[in-house]
Amino acid sequence: MTGRRPQRARDPQARRAALAAATMEVIAEAGVGRTTHRAVAARAGLPLGATTYYFPTLDDLIAAGLRHAVTMLQTDLDDWAERLRAAPDLPEALTELVREYLGDRRQVRLEYELCLAAARDEALRPLAEVWMRGLPEVLEPYVGAAAGRDISALLDGIILLALVTESELDAAGLTAAIRRLATP
């Protein structure tokens, strides 16, 4: 007996996913220009060699992070669309979705940091566009294109206000504002 512990099987997909998620967190906090393999490995709790093994170049790592974030945002939009299809009252359902979304302020801050970073970095724009174009498209069948865009802008503003002021959502006020915008 050598006293060595048996090696645990590594899950390559889980490592890739952890690195992609960590990449987006580092980008949101430090920006693309300050994102490094070392910073991502530390954030993911993985050895530095794992980042370079799975993503040999920094561009590969950033692209993986962006794909991960776009997938997550699209999943959220799909969930919102499904819940709105089943909702008897669109303004109330949207208000509830925003309230639930604000329940994880850390994630909301991360996503808004990424949107702000997209204003400075063209490589991040596809991520921001998923949300900026996706939510109005989800709303369009119910309220039309113009109102869908306006309601999306309202939601972004309300979410940003809640983040900056660390305030609770004014659900009644938001529902009433959505109703006004949704009514032709």
Side-chain angles (χ1 to χ4, degrees):
M1 291 261 196
T2 62
R4 290 178 54 194
R5 296 191 315 185
Q7 290 276 330
R8 288 187 306 172
R10 293 193 173 104
D11 181 352
Q13 283 304 105
R15 282 189 164 205
R16 281 186 185 96
L19 290 167
T23 298
M24 294 319 299
E25 290 179 14
V26 171
I27 289 172
E29 291 175 6
V32 173
R34 294 175 64 196
T35 299
T36 64
H37 279 92
R38 187 174 307 282
V40 170
R43 176 59 58 96
L46 291 170
L48 177 59
T51 61
T52 56
Y53 177 78
Y54 293 111
F55 305 105
T57 70
L58 192 55
D59 285 344
D60 293 336
L61 186 61
I62 290 169
L66 286 172
R67 282 191 304 274
H68 172 78
V70 165
T71 299
M72 298 299 289
L73 276 174
Q74 190 59 58
T75 298
D76 288 346
L77 282 171
D78 292 346
D79 179 54
W80 281 40
E82 184 63 32
R83 290 187 53 193
L84 291 176
R85 267 192 290 283
D89 185 284
L90 180 80
E92 287 180 8
L94 270 175
T95 298
E96 178 60 19
L97 287 166
V98 170
R99 188 191 64 70
E100 290 173 12
Y101 180 67
L102 284 168
D104 185 354
R105 299 276 174 124
R106 180 187 168 282
Q107 184 63 32
V108 175
R109 277 191 298 276
L110 171 66
E111 290 172 2
Y112 274 74
E113 285 285 345
L114 289 170
C115 284
L116 182 58
R120 294 186 301 266
D121 188 328
E122 191 172 326
L124 295 174
R125 290 201 181 124
L127 171 63
E129 288 174 1
V130 167
W131 177 258
M132 299 294 176
R133 292 191 176 145
L135 185 57
E137 289 172 4
V138 165
L139 297 175
E140 185 176 347
Y142 305 102
V143 298
R149 185 191 62 242
D150 294 347
I151 292 169
S152 295
L154 169 69
L155 298 182
D156 280 331
I158 292 293
I159 292 166
L160 192 57
L161 176 67
L163 283 178
V164 170
T165 63
E166 296 184 6
S167 61
E168 294 302 313
L169 178 67
D170 173 8
L174 178 57
T175 301
I178 294 169
R179 258 188 230 297
R180 286 191 300 275
L181 290 171
T183 304

